[in-house]
Amino acid sequence: MALQDVPAGHVATIITHLEMLEKPVLPATGSGLELTSWPDPAVEDYRALFRKVGEPWMWISRLLMDESELKAIIEDPAVEISIIRDSEAPVGFIELDFRVAGQCEIAFFGLVPEMNGKGHGRWMMNQALNMAWRDGIERVWLHSCTQDSPRALPFYRQCGFRIFRQQTDIMEDPRLTGHLPESAAPHVPILK
């Protein structure tokens, strides 16, 4: 086995891709949260919520995108975004991507840190799966990575997803490029 050094200023990630090929029987769940459609959000509003949800896990992809590229995705009619609210406050979102025929990617799924660990995840996943499994969909998939919550991968598997692929990536550490504060993703070491 050959080990590969991670260059200073970079971070290594293992990405795990998971799928389900038929709609599972969904357990009854409840939550005090509210889910509503969020069609064509303004880029700055989308990025603000993306950052609030993803900063602890070093979500960076949508923060690095050119504004016009991101706008094209979030305004695409085949991409459906739902916002999760606690009373009026936005506390999370679900983004479903139907741009590949017969498939739905759960592109993003998350809550702000203060809402995690309170039992809302299963309710959110049931909402996502009910929206994803529609006529013509044969596969629902998502991915997680080592920069995500350590509870994410077991949670997705509990929900009925199975692993079909893993990949590795090395990227510039966004905490050192100024895209995220150095306090983001404290579980991921910074290699200066």
Side-chain angles (χ1 to χ4, degrees):
M1 166 173 56
L3 297 177
Q4 181 180 354
D5 287 341
V6 176
H10 289 70
V11 63
T13 305
I14 298 172
I15 302 118
T16 301
H17 301 267
L18 302 99
E19 68 183 355
M20 59 174 58
L21 302 176
E22 60 184 44
K23 183 177 181 178
V25 175
L26 301 174
T29 58
S31 173
L33 302 180
E34 178 184 327
L35 176 134
T36 55
S37 178
W38 195 22
D40 303 333
V43 169
E44 58 274 6
D45 295 337
Y46 176 92
R47 279 194 173 140
L49 185 55
F50 182 91
R51 184 182 287 274
K52 284 172 73 174
V53 170
E55 188 172 288
W57 312 116
M58 208 182 312
W59 289 10
I60 191 67
S61 60
R62 297 297 173 83
L63 302 179
L64 298 176
M65 276 185 182
D66 174 89
E67 184 171 334
S68 61
E69 182 183 2
L70 178 55
K71 187 175 175 69
I73 293 170
I74 63 178
E75 291 183 356
D76 190 308
V79 174
E80 298 178 10
I81 304 170
S82 297
I83 192 165
I84 311 293
R85 296 184 190 276
D86 182 16
S87 297
E88 292 298 312
V91 295
F93 71 107
I94 299 168
E95 183 174 326
L96 303 179
D97 187 336
F98 294 93
R99 291 180 291 174
V100 174
Q103 298 185 34
C104 175
E105 177 188 3
I106 301 175
F108 292 99
F109 176 94
L111 290 167
V112 296
E114 55 272 20
M115 299 303 290
N116 289 323
K118 296 184 177 182
H120 300 299
R122 186 64 219 211
W123 171 81
M124 274 182 65
M125 181 56 75
N126 285 0
Q127 303 305 306
L129 291 172
N130 277 324
M131 291 185 293
W133 284 107
R134 56 181 68 165
D135 288 344
I137 296 299
E138 299 169 359
R139 176 179 183 248
V140 174
W141 70 282
L142 52 77
H143 68 273
S144 186
C145 71
T146 50
Q147 294 168 351
D148 207 346
S149 165
R151 295 188 318 233
L153 188 56
F155 171 73
Y156 295 143
R157 294 182 77 191
Q158 257 182 349
C159 291
F161 288 92
R162 70 166 191 81
I163 296 170
F164 72 92
R165 181 180 185 191
Q166 282 192 314
Q167 297 175 298
T168 59
D169 183 36
I170 295 177
M171 67 175 181
E172 282 190 280
D173 192 323
R175 298 166 297 182
L176 298 177
T177 62
H179 291 95
L180 291 175
E182 284 195 24
S183 60
H187 64 292
V188 179
I190 295 176
L191 182 61
K192 291 186 178 183

